[in-house]
């Protein structure tokens, strides 16, 4: 699979249920290869492997994923913490079998770079900041998708 990385989480650790006293490490990222299709990628493993893999690319990089395991995603649980994707599958990376290679998007395919800037939600499924300000009372307690642009950054 070749795609541009459109999102990435930080490395996290969890107690390993099989080896009491040790930890397993994980991080997730999302890749896109067309305006319509993108998929979440999950990787678990030893700290050295996960940190090295996470440090090897960033959002905006093009990656080639070789030999991932394809799994059916558990939509309710997984989509709380990852972008909702149009696929009912996710990719799982294995330290022993999978390989992730990075390359410049210009080298890989100039069609991939513009995909980085496309929203992952339906364009009709957003609220503007003006809508939220005007209708704040009626939206209280609801979860909303917001599409906004950063105008400035300062200290």
């Amino acid at each position: 699979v070749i795609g541009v990385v459109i999102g990435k989480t930080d490395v996290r650790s969890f107690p390993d249920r099989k080896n009491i006293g040790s930890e397993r490490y994980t991080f997730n990222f999302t890749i896109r290869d067309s305006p319509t299709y993108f998929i979440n990628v999950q990787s678990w493993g030893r700290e050295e492997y996960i940190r090295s893999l996470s440090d090897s690319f960033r959002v905006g990089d093009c990656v080639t994923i070789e030999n991932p395991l394809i799994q059916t995603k558990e939509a309710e649980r997984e989509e709380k913490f990852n972008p909702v994707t149009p696929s009912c599958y996710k990719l799982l990376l294995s330290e022993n079998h999978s390989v992730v290679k990075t390359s410049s998007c210009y080298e890989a395919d100039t069609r991939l770079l513009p995909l980085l800037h496309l929203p992952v939600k339906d364009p009709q499924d957003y609220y503007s900041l003006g809508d939220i300000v005007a209708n704040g009372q009626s939206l209280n307690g609801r979860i909303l998708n917001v599409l906004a642009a950063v105008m400035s950054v300062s200290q």
Side-chain angles (χ1 to χ4, degrees), residues 79-98:
E79 290 183 346
K80 285 182 184 177
F81 307 105
N82 295 303
V84 176
T85 62
S87 172
C88 57
Y89 301 101
K90 67 179 179 180
L91 302 180
L92 182 63
L93 300 181
S94 159
E95 183 173 2
N96 297 325
H97 303 288
S98 306

Side-chain angles (χ1 to χ4, degrees), residues 15-85:
D16 189 339
R17 287 187 232 151
K18 294 179 183 174
N19 299 316
I20 306 300
S22 63
E23 294 192 342
R24 291 184 70 205
Y25 287 77
T26 185
F27 83 101
N28 300 328
F29 60 100
T30 305
I31 62 169
R32 184 176 222 160
D33 67 355
S34 74
T36 309
Y37 296 105
F38 48 99
I39 194 164
N40 291 320
V41 183
Q42 185 175 46
S43 78
W44 285 88
R46 298 176 303 114
E47 180 178 13
E48 301 80 30
Y49 167 70
I50 295 298
R51 289 201 186 280
S52 173
L53 182 59
S54 177
D55 291 344
S56 71
F57 63 88
R58 61 180 197 243
V59 172
D61 285 346
C62 288
V63 294
T64 301
I65 301 173
E66 298 176 359
N67 297 322
L69 179 64
I70 300 169
Q71 287 188 328
T72 303
K73 68 182 177 185
E74 299 169 41
E76 251 183 59
R77 193 182 89 196
E78 292 178 27
E79 290 183 346
K80 285 182 184 177
F81 307 105
N82 295 303
V84 176
T85 62

